[in-house]
Amino acid sequence: MFYHDRELQYKVRVDKPNPVFARMLQQAIGGIEGEIRVCLQYLFQAWGSRGPVKYRDMLLETGTEEIAHIEMLATAVALNLEGAPMSMQDEFAKDKVVGAIMGGMDPRHILSAGMSALATDANGVPFNGSWVVGSGNIVADMYTNVAAESTGRTLATRLWEMTDDSGMKDMLAFLIARDTMHQNQWMAVIEENGGLNAMPIPNSFPQSEEVQGFNYAFVSTYVGNEPTPAGRWVSGPSIDGKGEFHLEKAAPLGGVPVLAPPDPRGHAQKEQMTTTDSIAGTISDKVRGTLSGSGSHNSDGV
């Protein structure tokens, strides 16, 4: 169940409406760094949470709080649009390109939303649900959440710098403070689940099954004469304490890839059906024989 209160979580005040800033605030609502993303991310992680119930409860509470942040920002957008031109007549008179797209504001705030917020980013691109991450691995999800809160806090600080409206600065300072807590909150969960010792994620997969020698190797693909710059990641104990960092020069270990010829039923060009390449030609003959014999696409293990 979800409940709501008529009052905002924190006061939203606009001293001087600014339609251009309203458009910028849209990034904090529907952008990839925005509140819709973290709200849905935490809720979907909660709804799929398995294991200790305290993590599900915490995610539900924080995801619900993020709804309040969307409400605050949507209110801020609406307040910043108060007094914006409802008629384009004056703008046409100033500039045939509708006042450089109405002086930088989003026309859809008028055309589609009637002077209110949209579920879009600052460019009017609708929110994309593919940004929502819920893997079912608690530590993997927490690292994703830290990244989401970090980029969200960065966005909020930039918006804070871009306005001289004291009301907007105050609201953004509140959101910045909540981002600070949420970053620490997710890191606390990581710490509670082993911290760096929980790496690599998932820690339930046996490392004995990894290709040994590559699990702690920094592969350098640089072909210049200068040495690879030394860094923490090229020597010494690994961060998880389970291996030793070392440097490997990239080398082609996989051989030349050879694909089967086109399946005739896919109707490639006739010239693609034959080849003079000795390796590919041999394989083509094998596959062609298989196709003609069985009617199925079987590359004899190639």
Side-chain angles (χ1 to χ4, degrees), residues 20-241:
V20 177
F21 194 63
R23 180 174 183 175
M24 295 178 184
L25 287 173
Q26 283 289 160
Q27 193 67 24
I29 295 176
I32 191 170
E33 315 92 343
E35 301 289 351
I36 294 179
R37 187 258 177 104
V38 291
C39 170
L40 292 179
Q41 184 155 299
Y42 305 158
L43 290 178
F44 273 95
Q45 287 175 5
W47 294 327
S49 179
R50 302 175 190 274
V53 70
K54 63 181 179 180
Y55 298 127
R56 181 179 186 275
D57 288 346
M58 178 192 61
L59 285 161
L60 281 171
E61 295 207 52
T62 306
T64 305
E65 181 191 359
E66 300 294 0
I67 300 175
H69 297 173
I70 300 169
E71 181 184 27
M72 288 170 57
L73 287 162
T75 302
V77 167
L79 291 174
N80 271 288
L81 289 171
E82 290 185 355
M86 285 294 289
S87 169
M88 297 187 191
Q89 186 174 3
D90 292 338
E91 298 295 339
F92 271 118
K94 297 175 185 175
D95 191 317
K96 290 186 178 180
V97 192
V98 193
I101 310 301
M102 303 180 71
M105 69 178 291
D106 186 349
R108 286 198 63 214
H109 278 152
I110 294 175
L111 301 175
S112 302
M115 311 293 276
S116 57
L118 297 157
T120 67
D121 67 12
N123 287 326
V125 179
F127 173 76
N128 189 331
S130 67
W131 300 333
V132 173
V133 176
S135 71
N137 180 295
I138 186 68
V139 176
D141 285 347
M142 292 304 107
Y143 275 117
T144 304
N145 293 351
V146 171
E149 290 287 348
S150 301
T151 53
R153 190 173 188 275
T154 300
L155 172 63
T157 59
R158 289 171 179 169
L159 288 167
W160 187 92
E161 295 285 357
M162 296 173 75
T163 181
D164 58 2
D165 188 294
S166 61
M168 287 293 89
K169 277 188 176 294
D170 183 49
M171 178 197 74
L172 290 165
F174 172 80
L175 294 176
I176 291 167
R178 296 308 298 147
D179 289 341
T180 298
M181 171 55 192
H182 291 158
Q183 287 184 39
N184 281 272
Q185 177 178 324
W186 306 137
M187 289 301 296
V189 177
I190 292 171
E191 180 184 89
E192 199 170 70
N193 283 270
L196 294 177
N197 292 326
M199 295 172 61
I201 301 165
N203 62 359
S204 55
F205 184 84
Q207 285 196 264
S208 59
E209 296 295 328
E210 298 175 354
V211 176
Q212 303 302 305
F214 286 92
N215 40 9
Y216 294 102
F218 177 78
V219 176
S220 173
T221 56
Y222 180 60
V223 296
N225 295 323
E226 298 85 355
T228 299
R232 173 67 180 87
W233 53 91
V234 297
S235 65
S238 60
I239 299 301
D240 60 15

Side-chain angles (χ1 to χ4, degrees), residues 285-300:
D285 292 339
K286 289 183 179 180
V287 176
R288 190 176 295 109
T290 303
L291 288 173
S292 60
S294 66
S296 63
H297 194 173
N298 185 328
S299 60
D300 287 342

